[in-house]
Amino acid sequence: MARTVVWSLYALLLALAPMIFTSSLSQTLLCQMGIAIIVCLSYNMLLGQGGMLSFGHAVYSGMGAFLAIHTLNRVSDGLALPVSLIPLVGGFASLALAGVLGWITTKKAATPFAMITLGMGELVWAMALMFPGFFGGEAGVSGNRVAGSPVFGISFGPQIELYYLIAAYTFVCTALMYAFTRTPLGRMLNAVRDNPERVAFVGYNPQMVRYLAFVIAAFFAGISGGLAALNFEIVTSEVLSGHRSGAYLLFTFLGGTTFFFGPIIGAILMVLAFVLLSGLTQAWLLYLGLIFIVMVMVAPGGVASLIMANLRLARHGFSRRLWVSYLALWLTGLLSLAGAAALLEMVYHLQLDAALGPELSFIGITLNVKGFDSWIGSGLVMLTGLGLFALCRRQFVQDIKLPEAS
């Protein structure tokens, strides 16, 4: 019953999101979030469920995008194929590619597997520049998603029409990947992750289990690539790069690999970081790196683990006793973050924007990179926030343990 409610709420959220966030920017972000959810969930099939650290997952989402954009151009030339089915072309193309490359890649596990995927990723990315006839060179391959005959009056020209196509694929793919975790193959994949020797002892081939999971994950990654091709109407070699694979790894981990919904959170964070955070500051990659380090040290289970831990506290009646501590942690954390961010922004301004003058605006406050008061003040704010955060965190832990002791 609870599972039905969760899936119903998920479908309702996908359906109502563009009605709540009505601006064109919001619809663009929602489309990208749906695409990112599929690819991050597919990546977690490897990392979270199978223990396979891949540095080349972008190969399969990228090749799906390239096959989809070429198919879209064939539809424009008269091929009788609905545009709504083009993402499936990308999915099956990536599945076929993974069927070839995956057999070699999955012969090893752990660190050798990661190194092989890195090599495969660099190999395919280099080939994208060697064969401009297919990959389009540095300019990439462009297309027009308003192709073929409209189905029920839907041409996918307006962004809202494309959003609902992406939302439908997102819901179906999410449901299928969740169902995979409940299949014997999904359970065996968990066993291969935890103890491959025992799996081999009971008669299963760990390499075959990894291979099948690898191919299935590539299929869903190809679907996300096909949706991205329809969304952006252009595909470049960047979609095959190691940078893209690293982004999948980073944000899937930040969301939480031990929970099924963790990559969904990570996908949302990835779009917000790439689209919004990158537009707010030049130091956005540095912020991401710092956040990743902090999460690894403080919450290696990702954001999902923090959510589940706090839900357990709420289930045992701790929320009413801890709301003051929660508020104090948030305020002191934001205070220390503001001080650290002010220092970073001044450093970037001094190095990159010195020609614009010594002053910059930061959250409504004017800072002077040549004035000691701005540097000292920002440092004091950061240190004060860190000190208060440590005290509040210690009190928070004591408040949790106290009822248990009593």
Side-chain angles (χ1 to χ4, degrees), residues 71-362:
T71 304
L72 180 62
N73 289 331
R74 299 291 80 74
V75 171
S76 299
D77 294 337
L79 177 66
L81 179 70
V83 174
S84 59
L85 297 182
I86 287 179
L88 290 177
V89 175
F92 285 111
S94 295
L95 184 147
L97 179 65
V100 177
L101 299 183
W103 185 253
I104 302 172
T105 305
T106 56
K107 282 186 174 295
K108 299 292 182 179
T111 302
F113 172 86
M115 294 299 100
I116 293 173
T117 60
L118 179 61
M120 288 289 185
E122 293 299 317
L123 175 66
V124 175
W125 182 68
M127 289 175 59
L129 301 177
M130 295 169 59
F131 298 99
F134 180 81
F135 295 101
E138 295 183 355
V141 182
S142 60
N144 182 8
R145 66 172 181 254
V146 185
S149 300
V151 180
F152 301 111
I154 300 175
S155 64
F156 299 110
Q159 191 71 27
I160 188 66
E161 294 181 1
L162 182 64
Y163 166 77
Y164 279 111
L165 176 67
I166 293 174
Y169 271 100
T170 300
F171 182 81
V172 173
C173 290
T174 302
L176 290 176
M177 282 185 273
Y178 179 79
F180 172 81
T181 65
R182 295 294 186 266
T183 62
L185 177 60
R187 299 296 191 185
M188 192 56 61
L189 181 63
N190 298 153
V192 169
R193 173 196 64 194
D194 298 332
N195 197 332
E197 291 81 7
R198 189 169 185 177
V199 170
F201 180 78
V202 297
Y204 290 91
N205 185 347
Q207 191 265 335
M208 180 58 68
V209 174
R210 290 194 299 267
Y211 173 70
L212 292 175
F214 191 90
V215 170
I216 294 172
F219 171 73
F220 289 108
I223 290 178
S224 74
L227 290 171
L230 293 180
N231 184 50
F232 297 108
E233 297 180 289
I234 186 172
V235 182
T236 66
S237 60
E238 193 273 335
V239 300
L240 301 167
S241 65
H243 175 268
R244 184 66 64 92
S245 295
Y248 298 156
L249 166 61
L250 173 64
F251 285 98
T252 301
F253 183 88
L254 286 179
T257 59
T258 56
F259 298 92
F260 180 80
F261 69 93
I264 298 177
I265 299 174
I268 295 172
L269 294 176
M270 179 169 69
V271 174
L272 293 177
F274 282 10
V275 179
L276 296 183
L277 184 60
S278 62
L280 293 175
T281 173
Q282 299 181 73
W284 67 281
L285 285 174
L286 178 59
Y287 288 123
L288 285 182
L290 293 174
I291 291 172
F292 184 76
I293 293 172
V294 171
M295 289 297 294
V296 170
M297 297 176 62
V298 177
V303 177
S305 67
L306 295 177
I307 294 174
M308 295 305 296
N310 284 281
L311 287 177
R312 284 193 293 270
L313 290 175
R315 192 179 301 118
H316 290 86
F318 284 89
S319 296
R320 295 180 181 178
R321 292 191 290 265
L322 297 176
W323 71 270
V324 176
S325 298
Y326 276 119
L327 182 61
L329 284 172
W330 274 102
L331 291 177
T332 55
L334 289 174
L335 183 65
S336 60
L337 178 62
L343 290 173
L344 290 175
E345 292 300 324
M346 286 194 292
V347 171
Y348 264 72
H349 185 84
L350 192 63
Q351 295 295 322
L352 302 177
D353 296 326
L356 300 179
E359 294 185 348
L360 73 150
S361 178
F362 176 74

Side-chain angles (χ1 to χ4, degrees), residues 23-41:
S23 67
S24 58
L25 174 61
S26 298
Q27 291 181 4
T28 300
L29 290 175
L30 290 172
C31 288
Q32 294 185 44
M33 286 177 184
I35 296 168
I37 286 172
I38 298 174
V39 72
C40 286
L41 283 172

